[in-house]
Amino acid sequence: MSRRSLCAAALLAAVAVGGGGISALAATPHSRAAKKHKVTTKTKTGPRGPRGPAGPAGRKGAQGAAGAPGANGTNGSNGSSGSSGSNGSNGANGAAGPSFLRTVIVSPTANTETGNGAVLLAAVAGLTNVNSGNPALIMVEPGIYDLGSSTLSLPTNVDLAGSGQDTTTIEGEGTLTLSAATDTEVREVSVVDADASGAATAISTAGGLADVTARASGTSAATGVMANTPSMVLLDVTASANTSAASSSAAAIQTVNTATISGGTFTANDSAGSGEAAALSAENAAAVNGATLQATGGADAYPVALIGSSQTVTIIASTLTGAGGLFVPTGDILDIGASQEPGVVTGVTGTARCPNDTLANYATASSDCSV
């Protein structure tokens, strides 16, 4: 039903209830026609007034999302150093090092080789109360110890041990570098004597040697090892002697009294044409086993030369080389067995016996050591 129909129905209902009929309807003061022609007059808008003052700020809105980070700025210059702090307290003491009762350790603590030599001389000189019941050991660290013209003298019951023939060297420029008394042993060390104006001897020992290198170089004479009544075996010794003056003599090892030589290499050379070289120069009985004896240069080059009287030298399982051959004077005996020998006997007036030995070319030598 439309809006107009609803209004008409409502009007009729009102007439019926009031009982006035059509006349009642005609008497209604607000007719539809009157409403239709009602006109509202619109007032004309005037000019805009000035802007009023700003109102108070509203509440702060929620924080927006973080923007992308900007580029790093350049580093600032370093500030000046602060003052040094105070020293900290000392730490706890470390554990005690090893303690030796009868061993003296010698170290190359000086700034020079001659300074180290002085340290070694002082260590031996400082030994006290040494005897057969209280022996001592000088242990020498790697380094070069130059004694100059002094001699290092080991007393009885004192051993000297280096740290290896290639790392521990005792040098001298006098007539004798190292002297060892009876009941001593020198081992694992190199001993050198270079005398530019006279005779040189690297080692003179009445004790024993083991794994030792001895080198002597002199003008008038040179001796690598002087075995002066040795009380122990000379084991695996490498000894050399070199001379250069006219009528000089070189001996790699010289046995003054009975000596036992086991292993090792002994080389003697005389660069002067009038000199003499002997790998083994024996003044008294000697027993050699498993050694190499070689002599070169000079007027005579003997791998073995017996220079004593009424002595016997025995050589077993060794190699003998030298153009001078064997020197055996009257009254002396040289026995060589299971060895290679030079096959020259021009210097033999005594007895030389070489049963079943060979020559340098492995041919069989004669029983009298000749070719």
Side-chain angles (χ1 to χ4, degrees):
M1 183 180 290
S2 66
R3 186 174 181 179
R4 288 183 179 180
S5 298
L6 288 174
C7 291
L11 182 59
L12 290 176
V15 172
V17 172
I22 297 298
S23 59
L25 179 61
T28 303
H30 301 289
S31 66
R32 182 177 179 182
K35 288 182 179 182
K36 183 175 180 181
H37 295 286
K38 186 178 181 179
V39 177
T40 302
T41 302
K42 186 176 181 180
T43 305
K44 185 177 181 180
T45 303
R48 177 178 292 181
R51 182 186 296 273
R59 290 184 301 170
K60 185 176 181 180
Q63 182 172 343
N72 293 331
T74 58
N75 294 329
S77 59
N78 295 329
S80 59
S81 300
S83 58
S84 300
S86 58
N87 294 330
S89 58
N90 293 330
N93 293 330
S99 177
F100 298 98
L101 180 62
R102 296 175 177 174
T103 301
V104 177
I105 306 296
V106 178
S107 303
T109 55
N111 294 326
T112 63
E113 294 173 0
T114 55
N116 294 337
V119 172
L120 177 58
L121 289 168
V124 176
L127 295 173
T128 58
N129 301 321
V130 176
N131 51 58
S132 59
N134 189 43
L137 170 64
I138 301 294
M139 178 70 75
V140 187
E141 283 198 286
I144 298 176
Y145 302 80
D146 192 338
L147 309 180
S149 59
S150 299
T151 298
L152 180 66
S153 298
L154 295 180
T156 302
N157 300 307
V158 175
D159 288 355
L160 184 144
S163 301
Q165 300 171 68
D166 295 333
T167 60
T168 305
T169 302
I170 301 173
E171 295 182 348
E173 293 79 43
T175 57
L176 176 60
T177 298
L178 189 150
S179 174
T182 58
D183 299 318
T184 64
E185 185 178 71
V186 178
R187 54 187 178 269
E188 293 293 343
V189 66
S190 288
V191 181
V192 179
D193 190 8
D195 190 340
S197 60
T201 299
I203 299 174
S204 175
T205 181
L209 303 175
D211 297 312
V212 168
T213 294
R215 299 193 304 269
S217 177
T219 51
S220 60
T223 304
V225 174
M226 179 74 72
N228 189 7
T229 317
S231 57
M232 286 180 270
V233 175
L234 308 181
L235 176 64
D236 292 331
V237 174
T238 300
S240 63
N242 292 276
T243 55
S244 57
S247 302
S248 57
S249 62
I253 182 168
Q254 182 171 344
T255 58
V256 178
N257 284 290
T258 302
T260 300
I261 302 168
S262 179
T265 300
F266 303 87
T267 305
N269 176 70
D270 193 322
S271 58
S274 59
E276 178 182 295
L280 169 62
S281 180
E283 293 185 37
N284 210 320
V288 180
N289 190 343
T292 297
L293 305 168
Q294 181 177 14
T296 57
D300 297 297
Y302 302 118
V304 178
L306 278 59
I307 58 176
S309 60
S310 302
Q311 61 171 318
T312 299
V313 173
T314 302
I315 299 176
I316 300 173
S318 298
T319 300
L320 289 67
T321 306
L326 307 174
F327 183 84
V328 185
T330 302
D332 288 345
I333 300 173
L334 175 61
D335 285 333
I336 303 176
S339 299
Q340 177 180 293
E341 46 94 357
V344 180
V345 295
T346 55
V348 176
T349 58
T351 301
R353 298 181 290 210
C354 301
N356 300 318
D357 288 332
T358 62
L359 304 176
N361 61 359
Y362 297 102
T364 301
S366 300
S367 60
D368 63 353
C369 303
S370 63
V371 175

